Amino acid sequence: MRPWLILVALMAEGQPFERRVLYRSGGDILRGAALSGPTEIVVWGERVRSVSLPNGRVAVLSGSAGPGFGEGGCLIDADRDGDQDVVLHELPAAGRPLGRMVWLERPENKLRLVDTDADFRDCRPATLHGQSGVLLIHRQAQVRFYSPPARGEARWPYRDIYSIYTPSLQGGLSIEDVDADGYPDVLCGNYWIRSPARRDHPWRLFAINNWWEESDSAMLRMARAGDLLMAQRNMALARLAWFEKPPDPTGFWRERRVPADVRFPRALAAARFTGDRPTIVAGENKGPGSRLLLIEPDGSTRTLGESAGFLDAWTLDADRDGKLDIITVGVESIDWWRSR
């Protein structure tokens, strides 16, 4: 075993996973992460790092000239050279309300400007009407699409997809063809936004649910395992529910509430570990004592482990043994929950 791969045995009887710490941050608080295929995680906080799966090999990609990088970020081959570049939210300098949107050009690992006055948490690569780029929620209300410019140009051009005005901020972002018309639509917080057939035509907004009572009610995390799973990431008494798309997806979707006690669930995933019904993986981000929960289809819940806070979770076969594992990123570590 490599010296940086720390094994933490889960001793509880019947525990289906063992915990292996792939990386410890060493005081650099992590704020965001993205999965690059089955063999690499890119994480960021004060610095940007690459962590290989499953051996835990770490490479520092870049630091920040300012206070570091915020939660928002995603991977895209911006310069079309075959390497996954990293789009990031650089936190604002002292005295400024907004930060910058930057991208880390790999493999040279040069930090370049996308746009000034940026504030986003959700960020996804997307191809809209034949154009590749990055979709994000600016200031938790404005769905915006950036596309990389020709080489040599500085800022990336963007177009606004939709501005959402409700009592709640909007969080959670996904791209899928909801109405099966051949054009990818956008899921954002409470809503899905229908793509037009032509780029110059307007997008249309439809509500999935009515979770908009408080300012953070629609700050969501999303996962897919057949139906759509949503969790209120910023709520101490968080709602967690499956949403089934109706024949007419422009109306409210059918909600099936999951009766689980989960607080501030920022990490969310779902997979069919056994049987035909999905199991939910939910990681809390409420400081020390945050739990990683496994919620079974029958509603039973077990705690896999605890940390100072979980940021993201994915299910994949990390060691290629034919069984699904869980990879989590927390504020202080990256953990591999290896299926027994």
Side-chain angles (χ1 to χ4, degrees), residues 175-255:
I175 299 99
E176 60 184 74
D177 186 0
V178 174
D179 54 0
D181 65 352
Y183 299 97
D185 308 302
V186 176
L187 278 69
C188 171
N190 297 128
Y191 302 96
W192 72 278
I193 313 171
R194 174 185 280 168
S195 173
R198 290 178 46 178
R199 179 182 175 184
D200 56 345
H201 286 190
W203 293 64
R204 293 192 62 193
L205 187 77
F206 303 97
I208 295 173
N209 60 45
N210 60 353
W211 293 4
W212 48 53
E213 305 93 337
E214 302 178 42
S215 61
D216 279 341
S217 294
M219 288 296 293
L220 306 178
R221 294 291 274 180
M222 299 179 180
R224 270 282 187 191
D227 290 334
L228 176 65
L229 179 65
M230 288 184 171
Q232 292 179 308
R233 50 163 287 170
N234 286 1
M235 303 295 284
L237 297 176
R239 280 179 285 194
L240 182 66
W242 292 99
F243 288 89
E244 179 183 352
K245 182 175 66 175
D248 178 6
T250 63
F252 279 162
W253 294 20
R254 179 172 173 256
E255 178 180 342

Side-chain angles (χ1 to χ4, degrees), residues 241-303:
W242 292 99
F243 288 89
E244 179 183 352
K245 182 175 66 175
D248 178 6
T250 63
F252 279 162
W253 294 20
R254 179 172 173 256
E255 178 180 342
R256 302 194 311 276
R257 190 71 58 87
V258 178
D261 173 22
V262 57
R263 305 174 183 183
F264 303 103
R266 179 166 160 191
L268 189 68
R272 293 175 175 85
F273 291 99
T274 58
D276 296 329
R277 299 172 64 193
T279 296
I280 298 169
V281 180
E284 298 176 327
N285 186 31
K286 64 179 186 65
S290 295
R291 301 169 299 166
L292 182 67
L293 302 173
L294 201 67
I295 307 170
E296 301 291 353
D298 63 3
S300 61
T301 301
R302 74 173 78 199
T303 299

